[in-house]
Amino acid sequence: MPALEITDLVHKAVLWNRIGSDVDGMPKVSATPVEIRCRWVGKQSQVLDAQGNTISVDATAVIAQDIEIGSCMWFGKLTGLPATLNLMTVVSFDSTDDIKGRSTRSTVGLKRAKNSLPATG
């Protein structure tokens, strides 16, 4: 039986992992997207960023892996990727272990981005 932390990951999302920064310090993402399982909640809320500041996010996603802040995500399957994307940028990451420390539940905060990917590598 799968862990409770990942049993409700019923949605699909396309992820472009952050692989570094360009010369201007802006995030650089992978040119090859991957499809991941998640639980996507498209509701505005407030979360804490890495510095402890409260920020507004346009969506949150529960995931089963670590994702770098600055990565890009799109709600949907890789096979259904449209020409124009409604991209989201990962602006926060939080993970919590279960009570016995066997499984981890991770959540990312997502903010709307422009319709094109940042620099790819």
Side-chain angles (χ1 to χ4, degrees), residues 43-57:
K43 177 180 155 187
Q44 289 186 336
S45 60
Q46 293 183 337
V47 297
L48 295 177
D49 66 4
Q51 291 77 32
N53 301 317
T54 302
I55 57 172
S56 294
V57 294

Side-chain angles (χ1 to χ4, degrees), residues 107-119:
T107 306
V108 291
L110 303 162
K111 197 144 186 87
R112 292 194 196 290
K114 50 188 172 177
N115 287 334
S116 61
L117 284 171

Side-chain angles (χ1 to χ4, degrees), residues 10 19 34-35 39 46 49 51 53 58 67 69-71 81 94 103 107-108 111 118:
V10 296
I19 56 172
V34 293
E35 185 176 284
R39 174 73 174 167
Q46 293 183 337
D49 66 4
Q51 291 77 32
N53 301 317
D58 297 312
I67 294 179
I69 292 176
S71 298
L81 211 57
D94 182 46
S103 297
T107 306
V108 291
K111 197 144 186 87

Side-chain angles (χ1 to χ4, degrees), residues 15-21 25-29 47-53 55 57 63 65-73 88-95 107-111 118:
L15 169 69
W16 289 266
N17 279 309
R18 180 178 182 171
I19 56 172
S21 299
M26 299 304 292
K28 190 177 195 181
V29 297
V47 297
L48 295 177
D49 66 4
Q51 291 77 32
N53 301 317
I55 57 172
V57 294
I63 51 175
Q65 64 194 61
D66 290 351
I67 294 179
E68 291 268 340
I69 292 176
S71 298
C72 289
M73 291 179 72
M88 300 283 218
T89 301
V90 176
V91 294
S92 70
F93 175 83
D94 182 46
S95 65
T107 306
V108 291
L110 303 162
K111 197 144 186 87

